[in-house]
Amino acid sequence: MRTLFFPLRRTAAYALVALCIPALSSCTAGSTASSGVSADYAAAPASGRPLSTVTLGTTAAPASLDFTTTAGAAIPQALMGNVYEGLVHIDQSGDIQPLLAKNWQLSDDGTEYTFYLREDVHFSNGELFDAHSAKFSIDRVKSDAWSNGLKAQMDKVAATEVIDDHTLKVRLHSRSNTWLWSMGTLVGAMMSPAGISELATKPVGTGPYEVSQWAVGTSLTLKARDDYWGQRPKNDTTVFRYFGDAISLTNAVRSGTIDAAIGLQSPELLDSLRADPRLQVEVGTTNGEVLLSMNNARAPFNDVRVRQAVLYGVDRQAIIDTTWEGYGTETGGTPVPPTDPWYTGTSAYTYDLPKAQRLLAEAGAVGTPITLSVPSLPYAQSAAEILYSQLRDIGFDVRIESTEFPAVWLAKVFKGKDYDMSLVAHIEPRDIPQLFANPDYYLGFNDPQVEELIAAADQAEDSDYVDLMQQAVDRIMAQAGANTLFNLPMIIVAGTNVSGIPRNSVSDGLTVAGITKLQPTSAGQEEGGNQ
């Protein structure tokens, strides 16, 4: 058994991996991480003064707090890294770091992980975290208790074994380039066996916060735990407030009702926001591919020529310029952020309206009525108008259907698959296997060659991994499985007294333990509210 030491970083062949997408380890066999706690969990300055309350604004509200049965980005955004923790986590540089596992070893054949767990870690309900609860958490993802489609990432696990109270062995069916990374996402959340009965309203985890209040559709309040195993957060309370539209969110940060707006979706207002001396603006990266989905399983989009017509006939750059003031990255329609190592920067689909019209005519689909189901999300509503016009120019008879998000969209489009076209940002990093290697997913994309290539890439040696993933992407694009309109930026607007907000959306959680806010003193001056 070979050992290589933390930090885990990719080899030069993976140099394109930057901040947006978590990188995989360059260690193929026998990797061991150190036991240090990441700088993401740095301690607040020691003092007796009370810590501050930080209020963060965003748009999509969670319909439930149970991501094991409910899809969507809002739940893990608030809970992962804050309430729930995994054996590992993904830091802001996209590296795999130890968390509840102090270190681990990987067998020479790449199929067996041995995790050495931290001691004296407790869940927020007082239950001890150990190898038994870690085994329970991994096994539960594989059970019928989980219905979130992301659970498929745990199908690679053949068996889990408790060696002793603080040692867990996980055996995979075959070597995997992606499994350890996925353990830093929501599927790797460690859960209390005694706390799962109320996951939808009272989640229990080992993280630095616990849920103290949830007003459905309005706000979610996290309170710092006094008994947290690690270093205390830099704020005492974090409140997530949810706004129904981008203008309300922008007005809230401008008025000081909230301390920061996360993922602002009104870029046309950025110039005026930057001109406000009380505010600061940061633009980072996300994993969010804004996907124009086509229901591959029903007419007219069960014809590849119709799907290709959409890829040629939608002017993606025009959508970016018109609805996002030029922010966002045009990826050529590919479902790959530029920071993924298999991103090539090329596309077979440059804007060509005459070619799109010819393909639609060849398919006998000119004048076909289609419905564009638009979720009630600012970026989707902004893009819908121009999409309506472009799709009509291609030759479709288009109707727009506004779909309340998340409840109605999840029920009708995502779960019911009762739609023709829709658009939504898929923020799960490295989600190509979920999107295009699962025929039961809402896209209805079914291509055995893609499934074979993705499976081969996951089990391949590092030297072959990127090439096989590029081949899979090429095949997906040849079949026009979906049309990625652009890669979503992370726009953060905050008061100048706020610091420590993660700039990049690297994994599925927004860790808030490092956020701090200066508070006015009684003399009218500002000082650190958590100092």
Side-chain angles (χ1 to χ4, degrees):
M1 184 175 290
R2 296 186 291 117
T3 57
L4 294 171
F5 289 95
F6 164 82
L8 305 174
R9 294 189 180 273
R10 275 206 173 276
T11 57
Y14 293 67
L16 287 177
V17 177
L19 297 177
C20 181
I21 303 290
L24 299 173
S25 166
S26 61
C27 309
T28 57
S31 62
T32 299
S34 82
S35 60
V37 177
S38 165
D40 287 2
Y41 294 84
S47 176
R49 293 193 182 97
L51 299 175
S52 62
T53 294
V54 175
T55 303
L56 308 176
T58 187
T59 48
S64 162
L65 298 184
D66 181 7
F67 54 64
T68 73
T69 59
T70 305
I75 313 172
Q77 180 191 48
L79 301 186
M80 283 305 299
N82 300 319
V83 173
Y84 292 115
E85 295 175 316
L87 300 183
V88 300
H89 81 105
I90 310 300
D91 70 14
Q92 278 283 289
S93 296
D95 295 322
I96 301 172
Q97 304 284 7
L99 193 51
L100 295 179
K102 297 185 294 185
N103 49 65
W104 57 89
Q105 290 180 318
L106 180 60
S107 63
D108 291 338
D109 66 357
T111 64
E112 196 169 85
Y113 286 84
T114 303
F115 293 97
Y116 302 96
L117 308 182
R118 296 185 185 279
E119 301 180 17
D120 299 322
V121 174
H122 290 80
F123 292 97
S124 59
N125 64 357
E127 185 180 356
L128 181 69
F129 166 77
D130 58 15
H132 299 278
S133 47
K135 172 181 168 60
F136 167 83
S137 298
I138 293 172
D139 291 349
R140 190 170 186 272
V141 180
K142 294 170 61 64
S143 74
D144 292 339
W146 270 68
S147 58
N148 187 322
L150 294 173
K151 67 177 289 180
Q153 296 175 37
M154 206 65 82
D155 290 348
K156 299 161 188 176
V157 174
T160 57
E161 179 185 357
V162 173
I163 305 301
D164 59 44
D165 284 349
H166 298 99
T167 308
L168 177 72
K169 184 174 289 187
V170 179
R171 180 167 56 83
L172 308 183
H173 291 289
S174 59
R175 62 169 283 116
S176 171
N177 286 305
T178 60
W179 181 77
L180 184 61
W181 167 80
S182 70
M183 287 295 290
T185 70
L186 63 87
V187 297
M190 295 292 106
M191 296 187 173
S192 159
I196 60 170
S197 61
E198 296 182 281
L199 288 181
T201 56
K202 298 178 181 177
V204 174
T206 64
Y209 296 88
E210 59 186 330
V211 174
S212 65
Q213 186 176 6
W214 180 38
V216 180
T218 302
S219 67
L220 177 68
T221 302
L222 306 181
K223 184 174 179 57
R225 289 174 54 193
D226 293 329
D227 60 344
Y228 178 55
W229 65 267
Q231 296 175 337
R232 186 177 177 88
K234 292 186 176 183
N235 60 78
D236 187 53
T237 305
T238 296
V239 180
F240 287 85
R241 283 197 57 190
Y242 300 103
F243 295 84
D245 60 83
I247 299 300
S248 297
L249 176 61
T250 303
N251 289 339
V253 73
R254 198 192 297 272
S255 67
T257 303
I258 58 176
D259 297 308
I262 307 296
L264 192 74
Q265 294 172 20
S266 48
E268 70 279 2
L269 301 177
L270 283 183
D271 286 345
S272 64
L273 291 169
R274 283 193 174 101
D276 190 329
R278 301 167 301 169
L279 300 175
Q280 56 182 323
V281 177
E282 288 279 352
V283 180
T285 57
T286 77
N287 303 301
E289 305 103 358
V290 179
L291 208 68
L292 178 61
S293 54
M294 298 169 275
N295 193 337
N296 285 229
R298 76 184 191 191
F301 297 111
N302 57 354
D303 188 322
V304 65
R305 294 169 297 182
V306 177
R307 301 196 301 268
Q308 289 172 338
V310 173
L311 268 293
Y312 281 116
V314 170
D315 188 344
R316 294 179 293 271
Q317 189 60 54
I319 291 172
I320 295 171
D321 293 341
T322 302
T323 66
W324 273 85
E325 301 293 310
Y327 291 95
T329 303
E330 213 281 76
T331 63
T334 63
V336 185
T339 46
D340 273 2
W342 41 86
Y343 177 75
T344 64
T346 61
S347 172
Y349 299 97
T350 55
Y351 178 61
D352 189 336
L353 181 58
K355 188 167 186 176
Q357 292 168 334
R358 287 196 300 272
L359 282 165
L360 199 66
E362 287 175 15
V366 174
T368 300
I370 61 169
T371 299
L372 177 62
S373 299
V374 182
S376 55
L377 295 167
Y379 65 84
Q381 294 173 328
S382 297
E385 248 183 77
I386 188 169
L387 272 172
Y388 173 84
S389 176
Q390 291 183 356
L391 291 169
R392 285 183 62 85
D393 288 344
I394 295 169
F396 295 105
D397 178 10
V398 186
R399 183 176 77 90
I400 288 183
E401 170 187 76
S402 182
T403 310
E404 189 273 329
F405 189 92
V408 176
W409 189 90
L410 288 173
K412 178 180 173 61
V413 178
F414 187 80
K415 292 181 180 178
K417 304 168 192 173
D418 181 19
Y419 79 105
D420 297 324
M421 300 185 82
S422 189
L423 69 155
V424 75
H426 285 263
I427 61 100
E428 295 85 1
R430 305 210 173 180
D431 54 5
I432 284 179
Q434 176 64 32
L435 294 172
F436 299 104
N438 178 7
D440 293 329
Y441 201 59
Y442 85 102
L443 297 182
F445 183 80
N446 188 355
D447 189 281
Q449 185 176 337
V450 169
E451 293 178 41
E452 290 171 8
L453 284 167
I454 288 174
D458 188 39
Q459 299 172 24
E461 297 294 333
D462 276 357
S463 57
D464 298 322
Y465 180 40
V466 170
D467 180 63
L468 287 167
M469 284 301 297
Q470 287 174 339
Q471 290 181 45
V473 172
D474 288 345
R475 174 67 182 176
I476 291 166
M477 295 308 295
Q479 293 298 302
N483 188 4
T484 299
L485 300 178
F486 59 95
N487 191 246
L488 199 66
M490 170 62 85
I491 300 176
I492 300 168
V493 180
T496 54
N497 62 333
V498 178
S499 63
I501 300 173
R503 184 173 184 267
N504 303 296
S505 179
V506 179
S507 187
D508 43 17
L510 175 69
T511 54
V512 300
I515 302 176
T516 187
K517 180 176 68 172
L518 292 174
Q519 302 279 33
T521 67
S522 57
Q525 298 174 334
E526 287 191 338
E527 68 172 20
N530 64 337
Q531 295 180 351

